[in-house]
Amino acid sequence: MRVAMYYNNHDVRLEEQPIPEIGPGEVLIKIIASGICGSDVMEWYRIKKAPLVLGHEIAGDIVAVGEGVTGFQPGDRVTATHHVPCGRCEYCQRGQHSLCTLISNTKYYPGGFAEYVRVPAINVETRGVLKLPDSVSYEEGSFTEPLGCVVRGLRVMGFEPARSVLVLGSGLSGQLVIRTARAYGAGKIIATDINDFRLEMARKSGAEVALHATREDVVQRVLEETNGEGVDYVIPTAAAPVLFEQAMQAVRKGGTVLLYGIMAPGTKVAFDVFPFWKKQVKLLSTYAAAPRDLAEALELIRARRVPVEDLITHRLPLAETQKGFELTAAGGDSMKVIVEPQR
């Protein structure tokens, strides 16, 4: 089979590998759609593991099932997550699935930018494979994992309707946050970015106010839009220290800041501790998605509560995966790039 082997963002090669053989409890998925995630193009994180096949936002058809598999059969249209929690450890029992040791040590093989992937038994057993409803396309199904991460993030925040939201960074994650917050009944939603294309998309996604982060004083404008109070929820979705600083200034008393975007290890951010303490701000972080979050995300897609298809700006054959990486890394007029491994 063909795979897109990652060496760096500008060197992704079409190579050949054997179709994975599956064992007991496993399934083999023929990949129809595979989304490029912002984390796929974080070279500081990926290069040290290269060469490897990336891709974890997948949808396709089950073409084979291993001995003992129940509930799935060849021909099922599915999406699958690469990371799953065990469901049994102390963290899982507390609902802190993202802290489960297993969740960062599970993956399917070789990766979503391939014609086929083998899904391990633990992923199948722990509801890491979900059947797609007939009304959900493969492309839409590939959004289940990234949307599940957003669902979990809002759950971690204790999101409540009619509260104001500030989304710092309007890339794909930011768009999904805006749309999910809107679906959950948010009050005023404010979004920022340095890219006019993304700001226009943020407006379409449901942001009442979209601010250009270099042409406007973000904190001042946010305070103006909230009668000087600041916002209830602030979610920095991009990996920029300045966004954290803006978040701490723009959040209202008793508000919550959720660190969603990933900054490189060793990144230091300075902020004034006194107003943080005085305002009694909750500072939280989030990572990944648990089965509950994925199921909720898929239902939001099925019910069209969170539309996703219009976020797709590029569809590329497997041989052009490198172009997809470059588009995603550059931003520009791209939002979600879908790789189609069967082309």
Side-chain angles (χ1 to χ4, degrees):
M1 69 174 181
R2 299 173 307 149
V3 304
M5 187 67 70
Y6 172 89
Y7 291 85
N8 61 60
N9 287 351
H10 304 286
D11 186 4
V12 183
R13 308 173 193 173
L14 197 63
E15 299 183 0
E16 290 284 337
Q17 285 188 1
I19 295 176
E21 295 183 3
I22 61 172
E26 299 181 333
V27 301
L28 184 68
I29 299 177
K30 178 181 179 180
I31 305 300
I32 306 299
S34 186
I36 299 180
C37 176
S39 68
D40 288 329
V41 300
M42 293 191 308
E43 287 191 324
W44 61 264
Y45 178 58
R46 299 301 185 185
I47 283 183
K48 60 187 177 183
K49 300 179 181 180
L52 77 166
V53 179
L54 294 171
H56 58 267
E57 302 176 359
I58 66 168
D61 298 321
I62 291 180
V63 294
V65 299
E67 181 183 354
V69 172
T70 59
F72 296 102
Q73 61 186 1
D76 285 344
R77 301 170 63 253
V78 297
T79 182
T81 182
H82 58 319
H83 291 332
V84 294
C86 71
R88 297 183 296 273
C89 70
E90 183 177 1
Y91 289 115
C92 286
Q93 293 304 306
R94 291 180 177 182
Q96 298 171 307
H97 302 88
S98 299
L99 297 175
C100 175
T101 301
L102 186 66
I103 204 166
S104 58
N105 290 288
T106 48
K107 65 184 293 290
Y108 33 67
Y109 178 83
F113 303 129
E115 291 185 277
Y116 298 89
V117 298
R118 173 181 59 82
V119 180
I122 185 64
N123 297 59
V124 179
E125 294 168 1
T126 55
R127 293 187 295 147
V129 181
L130 293 83
K131 292 182 182 179
L132 295 180
D134 292 340
S135 60
V136 175
S137 70
Y138 294 108
E139 290 181 339
E140 292 172 320
S142 71
F143 280 83
T144 303
E145 192 275 341
L147 183 57
C149 293
V150 171
V151 167
R152 184 163 193 83
L154 297 188
R155 192 191 311 284
V156 167
M157 295 182 81
F159 187 90
E160 296 181 3
R163 301 294 179 90
S164 55
V165 180
L166 171 61
V167 180
L168 296 168
S170 298
L172 190 280
S173 293
Q175 303 294 335
L176 291 178
V177 169
I178 294 168
R179 294 179 180 212
T180 308
R182 182 182 63 178
Y184 287 173
K188 178 175 285 189
I189 301 175
I190 304 172
T192 73
D193 206 274
I194 59 174
N195 180 306
D196 288 322
F197 171 79
R198 294 183 174 189
L199 288 173
E200 181 57 32
M201 183 68 79
R203 295 184 185 96
K204 293 178 181 178
S205 292
E208 189 173 332
V209 180
L211 306 174
H212 195 287
T214 59
R215 297 177 194 154
E216 303 185 70
D217 185 327
V218 170
V219 174
Q220 182 60 37
R221 283 297 313 279
V222 169
L223 293 176
E224 290 173 1
E225 292 288 340
T226 56
N227 298 316
E229 293 293 328
V231 294
D232 295 296
Y233 301 122
V234 188
I235 308 172
T237 65
V242 66
L243 300 187
F244 176 80
E245 297 168 14
Q246 291 175 348
M248 299 306 289
Q249 296 174 58
V251 67
R252 70 177 298 152
K253 290 188 290 186
T256 302
V257 174
L258 179 72
L259 296 181
Y260 195 93
I262 306 170
M263 287 184 272
T267 301
K268 306 293 184 182
V269 180
F271 69 99
D272 190 341
V273 174
F274 183 80
F276 165 71
W277 170 80
K278 185 71 172 177
K279 291 198 295 184
Q280 300 179 48
V281 173
K282 293 186 285 293
L283 178 59
L284 303 169
S285 62
T286 186
Y287 170 70
R292 172 186 176 183
D293 310 310
L294 297 169
E296 186 169 321
L298 184 54
E299 176 58 16
L300 288 170
I301 293 170
R302 185 207 64 78
R304 302 295 188 257
R305 296 291 305 282
V306 178
V308 293
E309 187 175 15
D310 64 315
L311 292 170
I312 302 171
T313 53
H314 298 80
R315 296 170 173 86
L316 301 173
L318 189 64
E320 295 183 23
T321 302
Q322 178 179 309
K323 177 181 177 181
F325 271 62
E326 292 172 340
L327 284 167
T328 302
D333 61 353
S334 71
M335 185 59 65
K336 171 55 71 177
V337 178
I338 297 289
V339 174
E340 300 174 343
Q342 303 307 315
R343 286 210 290 143

